[in-house]
């Protein structure tokens, strides 16, 4: 029998991925390829590229050890065709194959490329998720709006995680109101384990240093796990040292504390090194053993079986044009400070700083600092989306786009969230220690020293008054504005205009 090609992409690194489960070890050839097209469609952070290539190379070695025939293409192989489609054609010729098996990629871009490929394709749904496309569509059908909370309850019932019979453990589904504590002075979390690069990773580090030195982001020190046993050690460490306080300080941001009590596991879960349900069961076991409180464990599990599954459902249901949406008509260029340019805003300096160092930032800097600022300033959501997709090691479009285009930029017009996540400097001051060392005054409402978030907050709301004034959760904000002194209102808007003009002129803000 002629062999079939079995495509395994860089974020499908587990033997339980659908295409491998459907393949025949004695007949088929696994195709894995490091290709320029995937590294360049956005300028990925060098740490992300090292992580993927090192994890891919090690996965290929494990597959070979298990008896698979693997055709692995390195980026610097002279015959490398430069794209996934090109490599499939080259391997088809080499092995005399005319058919291929693939697991559905997490980006429409690649799904479309595979569907248009001349080889005969069997495309299998990625069943590493709890909720299939059909199940999500059934849940979503006929609903006026999609709300994560109701979807999440379905997932709790389906998995039986934190259930007490048919009731939620502790008598309520969601303990979010316990999870909004600002950081007390001196708050410090454990540092996630760091893994010394081994010879495989060292070789990739050299390659990436030569080829991607110009991309935004620090290559060294490289500390990510690149194989399942290391990722499991990172999970163990999180459960023992950070999970107990995950809930309390989920929204806190502290200078010099890049991770606080967050798990830093998304990079491993999204690439296949960790199984999401196993991660949740480990967290639940810690609760049942009295090692972590319910608000922490429920909050953590909700992120994975709730938000993670929900945004994936939205991405696939909304279709290929989703990442290009721009419901608010925002057109501003992304300011240079996102790529490491200078800024006087302490919060942005911190958020971009950790992103540059570690290809990571936890949810709050992503949502309430870089995301909030881009939305308030009216940056083109396409540019914002491409930035998030490039700079974070956990970013693939299925999860990044609904979070950025939807949750953070409201560019989908309200599919992911019912109202935009915007705030003035007040919220950042409450949840962080950033404002204490900022050039701007968070309590200053206008004038050159005013916190830019304070100015742009009102500018945003007024720009979009027609759209948002009718939103029942936002009417009160507009009433507050209307009650302010007229001269004050005019001064705030004029200052905001000046600030935006300075941003457009490339001045340091
Ligand atoms: P923890 O806080 O420890 O959370 C535990 C796990 O829950 C995460 O590992 C992740 O798997 C899951 N999770 C938490 N929040 C979300 C969410 N909103 N959507 C999906 N999964 C979630 N997450 C990505 O995995 N990839 C992205 O490209 C990505 N882009 C984002 C862009 C923006 C603008 C925003 C606001 C959020 C984005 N997120 C993304 C969601 C979230 O910020 C990250 O999952 C989280 O910060 C990863 O760090 P952690 O592993 O320490 O998470
Ligand atoms: C992100 C990425 C990068 C940078 N490089 C590769 C690669 O060379 N080969 C590969 O198979 N996958 C890579 N990936 C991940 C793919 O882009 C990913 O599979 C899609 O984004 C779909 O989720
Ligand atoms: Fe950010 Fe404003 Fe606080 Fe400065 S004062 S850190 S700009 S929120």
């Amino acid at each position: 029998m002629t062999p079939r090609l079995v495509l395994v992409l860089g974020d499908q690194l587990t033997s339980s991925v659908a295409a491998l489960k459907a393949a025949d070890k004695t007949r088929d050839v696994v195709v894995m390829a490091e290709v320029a097209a995937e590294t360049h469609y956005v300028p990925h952070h060098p740490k992300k590229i090292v992580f993927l290539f090192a994890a891919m190379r090690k996965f290929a070695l494990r597959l070979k050890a298990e008896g698979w025939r693997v055709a692995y293409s390195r980026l610097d192989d002279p015959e490398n065709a430069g794209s996934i489609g090109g490599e499939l054609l080259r391997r088809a010729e080499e092995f005399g194959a005319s058919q291929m098996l693939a697991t559905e990629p997490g980006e429409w871009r690649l799904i479309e490329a595979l569907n248009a490929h001349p080889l005969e394709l069997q495309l299998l749904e990625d069943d590493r998720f709890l909720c299939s496309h059909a199940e999500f569509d059934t849940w979503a059908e006929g609903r006026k709006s999609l709300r994560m909370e109701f979807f999440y309850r379905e997932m709790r019932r389906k998995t039986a995680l934190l259930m007490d019979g048919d009731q939620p453990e502790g008598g309520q589904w969601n303990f979010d109101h316990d999870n909004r504590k600002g950081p007390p002075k001196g708050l410090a979390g454990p540092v996630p384990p760091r893994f010394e690069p081994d010879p495989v990773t060292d070789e990739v580090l050299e390659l990436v240093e030569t080829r991607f030195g110009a991309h935004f982001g620090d290559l060294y020190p490289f500390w990510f796990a690149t194989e399942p046993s290391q990722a499991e050690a990172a999970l163990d460490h999180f459960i023992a040292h950070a999970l107990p306080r995950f809930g309390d300080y989920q929204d806190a941001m502290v200078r010099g504390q890049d991770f606080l009590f967050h798990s830093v596991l998304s990079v491993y879960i999204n690439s296949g090194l960790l199984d999401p349900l196993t991660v949740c069961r480990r967290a639940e076991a810690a609760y049942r053993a009295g090692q972590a409180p319910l608000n922490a464990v429920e909050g953590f599990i909700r992120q994975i079986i709730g938000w993670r599954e929900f945004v994936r459902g939205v991405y696939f249901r909304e279709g290929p044009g989703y990442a290009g949406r721009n419901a608010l008509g925002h057109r501003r260029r992304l300011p240079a400070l996102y790529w490491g340019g200078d800024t006087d805003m302490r919060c942005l300096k911190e958020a971009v700083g950790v992103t540059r160092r570690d290809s990571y930032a936890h949810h709050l800097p992503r949502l309430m600092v870089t995301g909030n600022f881009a939305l308030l300033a009216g940056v083109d959501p396409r540019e914002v989306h491409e930035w998030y997709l490039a700079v974070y090691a956990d970013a693939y479009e299925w999860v990044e786009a609904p979070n950025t285009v939807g949750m953070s930029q409201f560019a989908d017009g309200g599919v992911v969230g019912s109202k935009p996540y915007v705030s003035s400097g007040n919220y950042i001051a409450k949840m962080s220690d950033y404002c204490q060392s900022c050039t701007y005054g968070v309590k200053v409402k206008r004038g050159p020293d005013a916190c830019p978030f304070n100015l742009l907050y009102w500018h945003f709301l007024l720009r979009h008054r027609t759209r948002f004034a009718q939103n029942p959760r936002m009417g009160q904000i507009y009433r507050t504005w209307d009650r302010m002194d007229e001269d004050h209102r005019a001064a705030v808007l004029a200052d905001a205009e000046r600030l935006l003009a300075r941003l457009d002129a490339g001045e340091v803000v």
Side-chain angles (χ1 to χ4, degrees):
M1 265 203 292
T2 54
R4 296 169 302 181
L5 302 184
V6 183
L7 176 65
V8 174
L9 291 164
D11 55 351
Q12 300 177 340
L13 306 180
T14 165
S15 304
S16 65
V17 80
L20 281 172
K21 283 191 293 191
D24 177 353
K25 214 182 259 186
T26 62
R27 169 188 174 193
D28 300 328
V29 179
V30 176
V31 173
M32 296 181 70
E34 301 167 5
V35 290
E38 294 306 306
T39 57
H40 281 107
Y41 70 97
V42 290
H44 294 288
H45 193 298
K47 270 200 173 82
K48 178 181 190 178
I49 302 175
V50 173
F51 164 73
L52 274 161
F53 286 6
M56 283 170 70
R57 288 182 186 193
K58 290 186 182 186
F59 184 59
L61 292 174
R62 291 198 298 281
L63 287 178
K64 281 183 192 165
E66 286 168 21
W68 287 96
R69 202 155 37 135
V70 182
Y72 190 97
S73 312
R74 292 178 173 222
L75 190 72
D76 50 5
D77 284 349
E79 303 91 59
N80 192 316
S83 67
I84 298 291
E87 279 299 279
L88 285 165
L89 274 184
R90 183 166 80 88
R91 296 303 189 184
E93 231 166 77
E94 182 180 344
F95 293 100
S98 59
Q99 296 173 303
M100 63 172 160
L101 288 170
T103 310
E104 184 178 72
E107 304 197 353
W108 284 111
R109 176 184 63 80
L110 268 181
I111 295 175
E112 286 167 348
L114 289 185
N115 280 326
H117 199 274
L119 286 185
E120 186 187 324
L121 169 70
Q122 194 183 338
L123 190 63
L124 302 160
E125 187 164 341
D126 192 342
D127 59 7
R128 292 176 293 164
F129 293 87
L130 289 174
C131 184
S132 68
H133 298 329
E135 268 178 286
F136 191 82
D137 285 344
T138 305
W139 174 80
E141 215 48 60
R143 284 173 196 262
K144 248 174 57 202
S145 60
L146 307 182
R147 290 298 154 249
M148 193 286 295
E149 181 61 30
F150 299 109
F151 170 80
Y152 164 58
R153 292 177 191 180
E154 295 292 312
M155 292 300 107
R156 286 274 294 278
R157 291 192 185 97
K158 179 171 180 176
T159 56
L161 280 162
L162 293 181
M163 293 299 290
D164 182 3
D166 61 355
Q167 292 302 306
E169 183 73 19
Q172 61 194 66
W173 292 101
N174 181 319
F175 290 82
D176 218 16
H177 64 267
D178 296 341
N179 292 358
R180 304 226 167 101
K181 292 194 174 74
K185 206 171 162 38
L187 183 70
V191 178
R194 298 186 156 235
F195 302 92
E196 270 300 303
D198 54 15
V200 173
T201 310
D202 274 336
E203 216 181 329
V204 177
L205 277 163
E206 232 172 81
L207 171 81
V208 171
E209 189 166 15
T210 321
R211 294 282 291 261
F212 304 98
H215 285 197
F216 166 84
D218 297 346
L219 183 54
Y220 298 105
F222 181 84
W223 53 270
F224 287 149
T226 49
E227 58 190 53
S229 59
Q230 295 174 335
E232 275 150 29
L235 169 63
D236 290 344
H237 186 273
F238 166 69
I239 300 274
H241 302 290
L243 177 63
R245 296 218 275 170
F246 174 86
D248 290 349
Y249 299 112
Q250 200 178 340
D251 287 1
M253 297 177 279
V254 176
R255 277 192 78 182
Q257 289 289 319
D258 295 336
F259 313 102
L260 275 178
F261 301 97
H262 291 269
S263 67
V264 201
L265 294 176
S266 51
V267 57
Y268 310 135
I269 297 173
N270 293 350
S271 55
L273 298 195
L274 285 179
D275 167 55
L277 196 53
T278 308
V279 170
C280 292
R281 297 224 185 281
R282 287 289 313 279
E284 181 185 36
Y287 164 69
R288 304 262 179 226
Q291 290 155 358
L294 185 54
N295 72 308
V297 175
E298 186 282 315
F300 179 72
I301 287 177
R302 173 161 25 91
Q303 305 312 312
I304 297 181
I305 67 168
W307 278 112
R308 186 171 184 273
E309 295 282 336
F310 178 74
V311 297
R312 175 175 185 265
V314 168
Y315 178 73
F316 282 101
R317 186 173 165 79
E318 291 295 309
Y322 184 80
R325 294 201 190 159
N326 189 355
L328 301 181
H330 283 169
R331 301 269 172 251
R332 181 157 277 109
R333 300 300 313 270
L334 188 73
L337 69 91
Y338 281 79
W339 297 109
D342 207 5
T343 176
D344 291 332
M345 288 180 279
R346 171 57 61 194
C347 53
L348 274 152
K349 216 186 204 37
E350 293 293 326
V352 174
V354 58
T355 303
R356 165 178 244 158
R357 280 191 301 281
D358 287 324
S359 196
Y360 174 84
H362 72 69
H363 192 62
L364 261 283
R366 293 192 210 198
L367 185 64
M368 297 316 290
V369 180
T370 42
N372 188 13
F373 188 76
L375 177 57
L376 295 180
V379 177
D380 186 332
R382 164 66 72 176
E383 288 203 24
V384 185
H385 152 64
E386 288 179 355
W387 183 78
Y388 280 96
L389 191 57
V391 300
Y392 291 114
D394 58 17
Y396 306 97
E397 207 176 87
W398 68 266
V399 54
E400 177 278 330
N403 271 296
T404 305
V405 174
M407 186 189 304
S408 158
Q409 300 301 296
F410 205 78
D412 66 2
V415 180
V416 170
S418 56
K419 75 182 214 1
Y421 276 98
V422 284
S423 79
S424 65
N426 232 349
Y427 181 80
I428 296 173
K430 185 173 152 228
M431 298 317 299
S432 79
D433 63 356
Y434 296 159
C435 304
Q436 296 156 23
S437 55
C438 185
T439 318
Y440 295 104
V442 73
K443 294 213 160 76
V444 185
K445 308 285 185 219
R446 62 191 221 215
D449 296 333
C451 164
F453 284 84
N454 293 347
L455 301 173
L456 296 179
Y457 177 67
W458 290 117
H459 194 273
F460 170 86
L461 288 169
L462 272 291
R463 279 198 316 269
H464 298 295
R465 184 165 191 153
T466 324
R467 178 184 283 268
F468 294 127
Q470 303 314 317
N471 185 316
R473 294 170 66 198
M474 296 176 76
Q476 182 55 40
I477 309 173
Y478 286 100
R479 287 192 283 281
T480 304
W481 171 258
D482 291 340
R483 279 197 300 273
M484 288 179 195
D485 173 78
E486 205 174 321
D487 290 345
H488 175 74
R489 284 187 281 163
V492 168
L493 293 181
D495 284 341
E497 287 290 346
R498 265 189 290 278
L499 185 85
L500 291 172
R502 287 178 55 211
L503 267 185
D504 291 342
E507 289 177 30
V508 172
V509 162

